[in-house]
């Protein structure tokens, strides 16, 4: 399992998956938050206002803004205008949102101070976490024996980060497959960057700002690291939704 450091990338090909990451903290400014709320669809706005915690609202809004940004970068739109193709969200049988007839797949994640998104021509999943501590009991319950053994072989000082690497890979896979926790985490291993089962999947793990770990699972090879998106700039320049 290869670890990719922050900013590491290779030459991007036109069909490569695109990964975005954004710091949610600019949304703590009430004027920026209000501007951002005008850039997302009414359904997400309604969900956001139901959150009691301020940071929960900011995280959900940040994910929604990354969705709109990624669609715009792909020549699609839900809120903008100007000759782009309109995109509408539907839900799969297990509740995973998707973009029918668009030729584009996406997935969103948020944790702590950051939100992240992946856009791909094939199914994809993404997960971001900040390492806390190495949770031996969780590893014993949800990791395969070879994954648990790999974790235990690491220096104690690195076990929390390695746990986060494995956990985010597993989360990104079940999100890519679209079955959620209905798929037991012990049914598959994420030690390799390539999984041949279930039609073949590719993993990449990145170490981002403030120690956060971000993992992506995709049918395509993931060859390019996350692009930082400044939410305050999007909120200042964006167009309004209905």
């Amino acid at each position: 399992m290869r670890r990719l450091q922050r900013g590491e990338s290779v030459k991007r090909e036109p069909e490569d998956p695109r990964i975005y990451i954004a710091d949610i903290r600019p949304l703590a400014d009430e004027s920026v938050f209000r501007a951002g709320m005008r850039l997302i669809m009414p359904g997400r706005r309604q969900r956001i206002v139901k959150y009691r915690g301020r940071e929960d609202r900011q995280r959900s809004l940040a994910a929604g803004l990354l969705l709109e940004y990624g669609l715009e970068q792909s020549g699609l739109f839900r809120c903008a205008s100007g000759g782009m193709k309109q995109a509408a969200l539907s839900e799969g049988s297990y509740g995973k949102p998707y973009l029918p007839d668009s030729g584009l797949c996406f997935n969103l994640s948020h944790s702590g101070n950051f939100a992240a998104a992946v856009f791909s021509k094939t199914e994809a999943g993404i997960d971001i976490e900040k390492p806390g501590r190495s949770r031996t009991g969780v590893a014993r319950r949800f990791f395969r024996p070879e994954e648990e053994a790999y974790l235990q072989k690491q220096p104690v000082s690195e076990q929390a980060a390695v746990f986060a690497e494995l956990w985010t890979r597993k989360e990104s896979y079940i999100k890519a497959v679209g079955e959620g926790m209905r798929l037991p985490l012990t049914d598959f291993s994420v030690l390799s960057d390539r999984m041949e089962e279930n039609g073949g999947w590719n993993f990449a793990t990145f170490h981002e700002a403030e120690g956060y770990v971000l993992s992506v699972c995709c049918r395509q090879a993931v060859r390019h690291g996350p692009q930082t998106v400044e939410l305050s700039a999007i909120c200042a320049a964006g167009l309004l939704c209905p």
Side-chain angles (χ1 to χ4, degrees), residues 128-141:
I128 185 169
E129 302 281 348
K130 185 169 186 178
R133 55 188 176 85
S134 181
R135 290 172 281 184
T136 304
V138 175
R140 187 175 302 116
R141 182 179 177 186

Side-chain angles (χ1 to χ4, degrees), residues 5 55 131 154 195 197:
Q5 298 305 311
E55 290 185 353
Q154 307 306 310
M195 178 194 292
E197 298 91 272

